[in-house]
């Protein structure tokens, strides 16, 4: 299924990141050319402007045991266990709304059609913590293009699964369900906007939003909606979950902005999970070079 990632080393008895890091050493070492044909493209990761040399990848354990996923629980450490029961097959994503061609695609089909690439991005939660995550996914843009958006399509709305049986957090009104997020169509078409199906070269664990989630690395983490079942192209700006709950703290755009203090406090620094000293938070989470063009000509106050 994960055609880009045949194991270079037997996975038994080694942690996933050990396998993965070993593979990277091969990739960037002298043997790179010989094996490059069947390994994930190194050029892609190397070309990422925001990934600073020396940024340690967070471990599999860190990424999969400290999760925000309110459908299960507001307790980050409880999510992994609770999400384990979520049925992932079959799973389809329906693309509809202001499009010429509505369709529904199964996740297995989506993985086959759109080559899954390794994409290492920082994730910055509005709560003040961050991680560096080696996702596996593909840009959302070609999937949207398949649906042929009409000229009226100005926003893209994403809807997560509603399943009170398995998502026990939905039995409480902690948030309006289903969890919903949205982007402008220009943001949705940006190549960094990624539909993710894997992590560390493996299928995405349920607690990280299996089987398919969004990752928008220059925005606060809550925009990166998990367990998506529907993508709607719409004319007017849709309501989004956190913006509904606390509009002063969670703007529609939610671009990472260290200069803006929110009700929960300053956003100028962050704690990388696994580190003790704080780091400076970068505008657009360090991806400004790639994305500021999206906001050219917009007033600062309009893109919060
Ligand atoms: N469906 C859904 N998606 C969600 C959330 C959620 O509660 N439900 N939490 C968001 C928040 S606040 C963050 S920080 C990230 C966390 O992603 P991770 O657990 O993979 O690190 O997921 C986002 N996507
Ligand atoms: Mo978050």
């Amino acid at each position: 299924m994960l055609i880009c990632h045949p194991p270079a080393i037997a996975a038994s008895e080694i942690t996933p990141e050990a396998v993965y890091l070993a593979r990277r050493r091969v990739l960037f070492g002298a043997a790179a050319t010989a094996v490059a044909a069947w390994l994930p493209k190194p050029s892609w990761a190397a070309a990422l402007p925001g990934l600073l040399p020396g940024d340690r990848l967070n471990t599999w354990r860190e990424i999969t045991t400290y999760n925000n996923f309110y459908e299960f629980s507001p307790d980050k450490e409880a999510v992994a266990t609770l999400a384990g029961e979520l049925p992932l097959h079959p799973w389809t994503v329906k693309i509809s709304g202001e499009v010429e061609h509505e369709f529904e695609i199964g996740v297995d089909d989506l993985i086959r059609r759109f080559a899954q690439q390794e994409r290492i991005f920082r994730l910055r939660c509005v709560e003040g913590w961050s991680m560096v995550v080696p996702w596996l996914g593909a840009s959302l843009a070609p999937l949207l293009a398949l649906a042929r958006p009409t000229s009226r399509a100005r926003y893209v709305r994403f809807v997560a699964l509603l399943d009170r049986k398995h998502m026990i957090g939905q039995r409480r009104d902690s948030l309006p369900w289903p969890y919903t997020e949205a982007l402008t169509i220009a943001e949705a078409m940006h190549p960094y906007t990624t539909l993710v199906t894997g992590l560390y070269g493996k299928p995405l664990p349920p607690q990280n939003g299996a089987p398919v989630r969004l990752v928008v690395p220059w925005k606060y983490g809550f925009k990166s909606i998990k367990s998506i079942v529907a993508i709607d192209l719409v004319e007017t700006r849709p309501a989004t979950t956190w913006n509904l709950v606390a509009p002063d703290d969670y703007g529609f755009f939610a671009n990472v902005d260290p200069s803006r203090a929110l009700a929960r406090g300053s956003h100028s620094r962050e704690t990388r999970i696994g580190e003790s000293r704080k780091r400076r938070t970068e505008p657009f989470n360090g991806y400004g070079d790639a994305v500021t063009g999206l906001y050219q000509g917009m007033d600062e106050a309009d893109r919060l």
Side-chain angles (χ1 to χ4, degrees):
M1 182 173 64
L2 302 167
I3 45 168
C4 299
H5 291 267
I9 303 171
S12 54
E13 298 168 79
I14 327 176
T15 61
E17 69 267 20
V19 175
Y20 180 88
L21 292 171
R23 205 183 301 151
R24 282 177 68 81
R25 274 194 292 278
V26 171
L27 190 64
F28 295 108
T33 36
V35 293
W38 55 268
L39 282 169
K41 284 201 188 85
S43 56
W44 201 94
L48 259 184
L51 194 70
L52 308 170
D55 258 18
R56 178 185 73 96
L57 292 182
N58 280 95
T59 64
W60 172 270
R61 197 183 160 76
E62 287 165 342
I63 298 166
T64 60
T65 58
Y66 188 80
N67 302 101
N68 271 337
F69 204 164
Y70 279 70
E71 282 89 333
F72 295 100
S73 170
D75 174 353
K76 292 177 182 45
E77 270 128 50
V79 166
T81 310
L82 296 170
E85 303 298 311
L86 184 67
L88 302 176
H89 302 283
W91 191 291
T92 60
V93 179
K94 187 172 182 191
I95 291 105
S96 61
E98 287 294 347
V99 293
E100 285 172 22
H101 172 57
E102 289 196 357
F103 64 94
E104 204 164 328
I105 184 167
V107 170
D108 295 342
D109 207 15
L110 186 129
I111 289 170
R112 265 195 302 275
R113 271 225 217 177
F114 302 96
Q116 302 293 291
Q117 305 170 315
E118 171 189 293
R119 296 189 167 197
I120 301 165
F121 286 129
R122 287 179 293 270
L123 174 84
R124 187 2 174 127
C125 176
V126 77
E127 295 165 338
W129 54 267
S130 63
M131 298 200 204
V132 181
V133 187
W135 303 112
L136 196 58
S139 294
L140 172 67
L143 179 74
L144 294 182
L146 272 188
R148 299 194 300 276
T150 72
S151 58
R152 282 187 298 276
R154 293 183 56 220
Y155 293 91
V156 182
R157 176 173 172 265
F158 304 84
V159 185
L161 181 69
L162 184 65
D163 178 352
R164 283 195 182 81
K165 178 156 177 245
H166 297 100
M167 295 178 139
I168 62 164
Q170 289 182 337
R171 298 176 195 172
R172 290 189 297 171
D173 290 334
S174 51
L175 289 176
W177 309 113
Y179 194 102
T180 303
E181 258 309 331
L183 301 170
T184 64
I185 189 130
E187 292 175 328
M189 297 300 278
H190 190 282
Y192 281 19
T193 299
T194 306
L195 269 187
V196 160
T197 64
L199 172 64
Y200 268 115
K202 296 171 154 243
L204 196 60
Q207 60 267 37
N208 293 92
V212 59
R213 73 174 294 173
L214 190 71
V215 168
V216 193
W218 68 95
K219 294 175 179 283
Y220 291 113
F222 68 86
K223 300 291 287 185
S224 292
I225 179 173
K226 298 174 170 183
S227 302
I228 297 168
V229 293
I231 300 177
D232 252 350
L233 286 91
V234 294
E235 195 168 356
T236 52
R237 186 182 292 183
T240 54
T241 298
W242 287 100
N243 186 239
L244 274 176
V245 173
D248 293 341
D249 265 12
Y250 308 107
F252 174 81
F253 285 96
N255 295 316
V256 173
D257 182 358
S259 71
R260 186 165 176 254
L262 301 178
R264 59 166 73 244
S266 163
H267 271 232
S268 64
R269 301 203 301 162
E270 67 198 52
T271 303
R272 183 67 49 80
I273 298 303
E275 294 180 356
S276 47
R277 76 175 173 88
K278 293 209 169 193
R279 290 171 175 260
R280 271 202 355 244
T281 289
E282 301 292 335
F284 296 102
N285 204 20
Y287 302 106
D289 287 350
V291 303
T292 42
L294 292 170
Y295 308 104
Q296 221 103 72
M298 273 176 82
D299 273 3
E300 192 139 344
D302 290 338
R303 52 175 164 87
L304 295 172

